[in-house]
Amino acid sequence: MKKQPEITDKTRQTFINVFCDLYSQKPIEKITIQEIAKRSGYNRSTFYQYFTDIYELLDYVEERVFTSIKEEMATREFSTHSFQDALQCLENAEEISVLKALLGDYGSVHFIERLKREIPLEKLIVDLPANEALAPYIIEFYISTLMSMFRLWIRNDKDLSSEELVKLVDTLFTNGIGTTVIP
């Protein structure tokens, strides 16, 4: 007897939701399959019908985010406000709870590094120095700062509008910290 696809999708999504909730609260090493299954209302054997272990579940969640981001990026033409475009891609990519887990305190550094590679944030830097040795450091500074601000924004439940966040980032990079006024 075959399961109905909508039931299968619902079960998988339940495991994902519970995992993301737990992953936003504690490191992956402290999350058990038993805990995910129990909170999902299923038994462990049902979990194993979808995923071989917690790390495969994490990979599945990360791949869905990247697929969604790539699809979103493919449908838009990037403007001169690439950070705002990238921010909208991230906002639209997945449920915020998933991003909150992946980018949270217990999230994977691997995911953040991959996110920096997948989103062309380096295109935001117009005036790179003539010294080519400095360029990678400036790009890393810029991208890391953007990612940290995005992570904080997600953790703070998007307490600023995306426009306010973009304006704040632009102001910080243009004028520095000393003259920054909250948007």
Side-chain angles (χ1 to χ4, degrees):
M1 180 163 98
K2 279 193 162 185
K3 292 183 180 180
Q4 297 175 353
E6 59 273 2
I7 293 172
T8 301
D9 291 343
K10 182 181 177 203
T11 304
R12 180 181 291 109
Q13 190 59 48
T14 300
F15 286 133
I16 290 168
N17 293 345
V18 169
F19 168 74
C20 288
D21 183 49
L22 290 168
Y23 195 36
S24 66
Q25 298 171 31
K26 59 184 169 179
I28 195 166
E29 299 83 20
K30 302 273 185 187
I31 301 171
T32 66
I33 292 170
Q34 180 67 35
E35 184 177 24
I36 293 171
K38 185 176 179 182
R39 286 191 182 197
S40 297
Y42 297 99
N43 58 40
R44 285 173 44 146
S45 63
T46 304
F47 177 90
Y48 288 118
Q49 291 174 7
Y50 295 87
F51 306 101
T52 57
D53 59 23
I54 292 174
Y55 295 98
E56 183 181 340
L57 172 55
L58 174 61
D59 289 343
Y60 180 85
V61 170
E62 287 181 357
E63 279 306 313
R64 270 189 25 183
V65 169
F66 285 112
T67 299
S68 184
I69 289 170
K70 287 175 186 176
E71 288 171 359
E72 182 70 26
M73 290 175 76
T75 64
R76 61 174 63 231
E77 286 188 35
F78 284 92
S79 66
T80 55
H81 299 293
S82 294
F83 173 62
Q84 189 165 6
D85 292 329
L87 180 64
Q88 288 172 341
C89 285
L90 284 171
E91 266 190 302
N92 297 335
E94 271 293 315
E95 299 170 23
I96 289 299
S97 62
V98 173
L99 285 172
K100 205 174 205 177
L102 294 175
L103 296 171
D105 292 337
Y106 303 107
S108 158
V109 172
H110 166 75
F111 177 77
I112 294 169
E113 290 303 315
R114 186 172 170 200
L115 190 58
K116 289 193 300 190
R117 286 191 313 271
E118 299 274 339
I119 298 176
L121 296 175
E122 69 277 355
K123 292 180 181 175
L124 300 173
I125 305 171
V126 180
D127 298 318
L128 283 174
N131 181 343
E132 288 184 28
L134 294 178
Y137 292 96
I138 292 170
I139 290 170
E140 180 64 23
F141 171 80
Y142 195 80
I143 292 173
S144 295
T145 302
L146 292 175
M147 289 305 305
S148 291
M149 291 192 69
F150 180 75
R151 289 177 69 202
L152 178 61
W153 184 62
I154 292 294
R155 266 195 308 250
N156 287 345
D157 294 319
K158 297 175 17 176
D159 56 345
L160 301 174
S161 70
S162 58
E163 293 80 16
E164 289 172 319
L165 181 63
V166 168
K167 185 176 180 185
L168 176 61
V169 167
D170 284 343
T171 302
L172 286 170
F173 280 119
T174 304
N175 303 328
I177 295 172
T179 59
T180 301
V181 177
I182 302 296

